[in-house]
Amino acid sequence: MTNYDYDLVTIGAGSGGVRATRIAALAGARAAVVEEYRTGGTCVIRGCVPKKLMVYASRFSEDFADSAGFGWHVPHATFDWATLIANKDREIARLEGLYKKNLASAGATLFEDRAVMRDPHTVHLLKSDKTITAKHVLIATGGRAFVPEDVEGGDLAITSNEAFHLPHLPKSVMVVGGGYIAIEFAGIFKGLGSRTLLVHHGEEILRGFDHEIRERMRHELQKRGIDVHLKSVVASIRAEAGRKRVRLKDGTEHVVDEVMFAVGRRPNTGALGLEHCGVELTERRAVKVDAYSRSSQPHIYAVGDVTDRVNLTPVAIREGHAFADTVFNGRPTAVDHADIPTAVFGTPEIGVVGLSEEQARAQVGQVDIYKTAFRPMRATMSGRDTLIFMKLVVDAVSERVLGCHVMGEAAAEMIQCVAIAVKMKATKRDFDATVALHPSAAEELVLLKTKS
Ligand code: NDP
C-alpha cells in the first residue's frame, strides 16, 4: 500500500474547504489545507461578511431620513469611509483568526501557499517549493470575479474584490451587472452617498428571480435614486483627469469615479494542474462532480463554487461536510439542493425560497398565486415611498407552497424561517392555520386569502 503524507489535502481554505478539512481531521484523518490568499475564503474575506457590514453602514442614511417623521432631529449626518473600512477589516481579521484556530484545534495543517497538482496524488506548494502527497484531494478553490475581456480599457475597472478596499468613497460609481453583487453594491454606494448608475445588459435585472420581484426591485432602486440603464453594454473606459469616461455600446457616455463590474464569477480552476490529473471540467470550466462531489478521478473531489452548482456559502459548507462524512466518517451523503433559501441584500432586501411563478408553471402546470404589496407601518410615519411585496406560489392540486418571495425590510430573516415550512412541504392550509403575529410585516404571509 502506498504511504501518503496526508489522507486529505484540500486546496482552498474557504467555507467549503475549511468545513471539509475540519470534519475530516476530527474523524481522525491526517488533513491539510492549502490557501494562497487569506483563510476564510471569499465569503469571510471579500464577500458575504464584509458586504453585509457595508450594507448595514449604507442603510443608516435611510434611518436618519426616516427618523424625522418620528420626531427626531438628526443634525447633518456625515460619513467617514476610512472608519468603516478599518472597522470592517478588524472584524474580518478576527474571523480569519477564528478560522485558523478552528483548523488547528481540529488537528489540521494549514499551508499558506499556492498549490498546483503535479499528478493525481501529488500537490506542489509553489512558494515553499515543497511537495506533499495525498490519498484524497479536495478542490475547494471557489470562483473569481472578472472584467469581460472585450471591454476596451477594462483594466481601469474594479470588481467587488477592490470595492472592499477603495481608498475613498467614490463620488460617483457605475456598477455593471444585474445580479446579486451588482444590486447589493449599487445599494451600498447609493446609501453611503455616491451618485450610482446601474448598467445591465439584459431587459430586466435579477434574471432567474420571479418576474414581479425583478420589476418591483428595479422600481425600488429607481425610487432611491439609482440611475438604472437596461439593455446597456459597456464598450470602453478611458481615464480622464483621475476619473473614468465610459462609453456604452449605444454611444452614450458617462464620466464617473469608479466602474465596478459584477457580471458573475468564474470557477477558479486555472493553473491548478488539473489537466495532469484526469479531472474533467464542464464547459464553464467548473469541476464536474457527481451527487457526492466526486470528480471523474475517483479520489479527487470538489465542493463549492468551483463546481458551479448552487453558488452560495451555506451550500459549499453542506457539500464540504457531506464530502467528509462520505469519505472519512463512513456515511455516504449527497447534498439535497432543493428549496435552498437565498437573499439579495440590496435596499430593499429580497428573500426567496423555492420556485418562481414561471418555474412553477413550467414544472407543475396548475399554480395558484397569492400576493400582496403594502406600505410598511414604518413608512406611514416616515413618509418613505416604498412597498413591501410578498408572493406565495402554490401547487393548485396538492396545495403545497412551492415558492415564497418577499421584498422589503427583513426579507432575508423572514425567508430563513419560511424555508423550514417549505422544506417540510407545508401547504397553503398550514400557512392559513398559523396565527398571525401582530403587528408585523411577516404576518401577511399567513393572512393571504385571495388568489390573484
Ligand atoms: P450573478 O450570476 O448573480 O449575476 C451576474 C450578472 O451579470 C447578471 O445580471 C448577468 O446578466 C450579468 N452578466 C453576465 N455576463 C455579462 C457580461 N458579459 N456583460 C454584462 N453583464 C453580464 O453573479 P454575481 O457576480 O452578482 O454574483 C456571483 C455569485 O455569487 C452568484 O452566483 C451568487 O450566487 C453569489 N452571491 C450570493 C450572494 C448572496 O447570497 N446574497 C451575494 C453575492 C454573490 P444575465 O443573467 O441577465 O445574463
Side-chain angles (χ1 to χ4, degrees):
M1 206 182 83
T2 318
N3 277 330
Y4 298 105
D5 298 329
Y6 293 96
D7 299 313
L8 170 67
V9 171
T10 299
I11 306 181
S15 301
V18 166
R19 173 61 68 93
T21 310
R22 275 184 48 231
I23 301 303
L26 291 170
R30 292 166 305 148
V33 56
V34 191
E35 171 58 55
E36 65 174 338
Y37 184 53
R38 291 177 66 184
T39 305
T42 300
C43 178
V44 175
I45 305 297
R46 48 188 177 189
C48 332
V49 175
K51 176 273 308 289
K52 184 92 187 261
L53 295 173
M54 289 167 78
V55 168
Y56 281 129
S58 71
R59 288 184 182 162
F60 282 103
S61 52
E62 283 202 358
D63 292 341
F64 296 142
D66 288 359
S67 69
F70 294 85
W72 287 92
H73 170 65
V74 180
H76 183 65
T78 57
F79 166 72
D80 182 42
W81 173 263
T83 303
L84 171 65
I85 299 302
N87 290 348
K88 178 263 296 174
D89 286 345
R90 197 169 49 238
E91 174 57 9
I92 300 312
R94 185 184 73 83
L95 291 174
E96 183 181 13
L98 280 180
Y99 265 70
K100 286 185 174 173
K101 199 169 139 211
N102 289 342
L103 277 169
S105 58
T109 304
L110 170 66
F111 292 104
E112 294 181 306
D113 212 319
R114 164 96 196 162
V116 179
M117 301 288 301
R118 278 281 174 265
D119 66 47
H121 288 282
T122 309
V123 179
H124 183 211
L125 306 180
L126 284 188
K127 283 191 217 159
S128 52
D129 194 20
K130 187 177 161 168
T131 294
I132 52 176
T133 57
K135 186 169 179 198
H136 293 96
V137 175
L138 178 67
I139 313 292
T141 47
R144 64 193 160 79
F146 67 97
V147 176
E149 292 75 9
D150 60 350
V151 175
E152 191 189 321
D155 54 321
L156 294 168
I158 60 167
T159 66
S160 53
N161 290 348
E162 295 78 29
F164 289 117
H165 295 286
L166 288 173
H168 309 286
L169 173 68
K171 283 201 174 68
S172 56
V173 57
M174 177 184 285
V175 179
V176 185
Y180 283 86
I181 298 179
I183 302 303
E184 293 177 343
F185 269 92
I188 289 170
F189 285 124
K190 182 68 199 168
L192 294 178
S194 306
R195 181 169 72 84
T196 306
L197 291 82
L198 183 71
V199 170
H200 176 49
H201 69 175
E203 294 196 348
E204 190 53 278
I205 58 171
L206 291 171
R207 189 160 61 86
F209 283 75
D210 188 275
H211 68 279
E212 283 183 280
I213 288 279
R214 300 175 69 187
E215 204 181 303
R216 285 177 177 277
M217 185 64 179
R218 174 172 48 78
H219 282 141
E220 290 288 339
L221 298 180
Q222 288 168 326
K223 278 190 218 168
R224 284 164 171 80
I226 295 175
D227 187 7
V228 180
H229 296 253
L230 298 176
K231 294 189 261 178
S232 297
V233 176
V234 174
S236 66
I237 308 172
R238 266 193 298 125
E240 186 175 286
R243 306 183 78 202
K244 278 114 200 176
R245 177 173 288 275
V246 186
R247 193 166 53 77
L248 302 182
K249 284 202 172 151
D250 65 7
T252 55
E253 297 198 356
H254 302 267
V255 179
V256 290
D257 294 309
E258 293 292 351
V259 185
M260 180 187 133
F261 274 81
V263 293
R265 293 172 64 86
R266 290 177 176 158
N268 216 355
T269 48
L272 272 180
L274 294 178
E275 63 280 11
H276 309 308
C277 303
V279 172
E280 251 183 78
L281 302 184
T282 67
E283 236 172 72
R284 274 178 41 84
R285 302 197 58 75
V287 178
K288 213 184 216 176
V289 289
D290 67 10
Y292 297 91
S293 299
R294 175 180 272 204
S295 78
S296 51
Q297 176 66 264
H299 71 280
I300 299 182
Y301 289 70
V303 296
D305 289 11
V306 76
T307 63
D308 199 24
R309 287 178 280 181
V310 180
N311 298 332
L312 296 169
T313 296
V315 177
I317 292 172
R318 280 283 167 114
E319 290 168 357
H321 203 127
F323 151 77
D325 279 347
T326 300
V327 177
F328 297 104
N329 277 323
R331 278 196 303 273
T333 309
V335 171
D336 173 7
H337 289 98
D339 298 324
I340 293 167
T342 176
V344 182
F345 290 100
T347 301
E349 200 163 283
I350 296 171
V352 174
V353 61
L355 303 181
S356 66
E357 182 177 340
E358 303 82 281
Q359 289 165 336
R361 288 197 192 284
Q363 287 179 32
V364 306
Q366 249 184 301
V367 169
D368 290 334
I369 301 298
Y370 298 83
K371 60 185 177 185
T372 180
F374 59 95
R375 201 165 185 213
M377 194 175 186
R378 170 168 149 153
T380 59
M381 297 264 282
S382 72
R384 179 168 296 283
D385 175 17
T386 188
L387 292 177
I388 295 188
F389 176 69
M390 294 176 175
K391 180 170 185 174
L392 289 183
V393 179
V394 179
D395 182 331
V397 178
S398 69
E399 293 186 21
R400 185 181 165 199
V401 175
L402 301 172
C404 178
H405 309 261
V406 178
M407 184 192 71
E409 193 183 337
E413 306 292 338
M414 283 185 226
I415 285 296
Q416 177 66 86
C417 301
V418 173
I420 303 170
V422 172
K423 192 76 191 160
M424 291 176 76
K425 305 193 188 325
T427 62
K428 177 67 170 60
R429 259 174 297 141
D430 294 320
F431 275 58
D432 295 342
T434 306
V435 175
L437 186 155
H438 187 71
S440 67
E443 68 180 312
E444 296 301 328
L445 287 169
V446 297
L447 295 173
L448 289 166
K449 292 284 178 269
T450 324
K451 289 180 205 171
S452 66

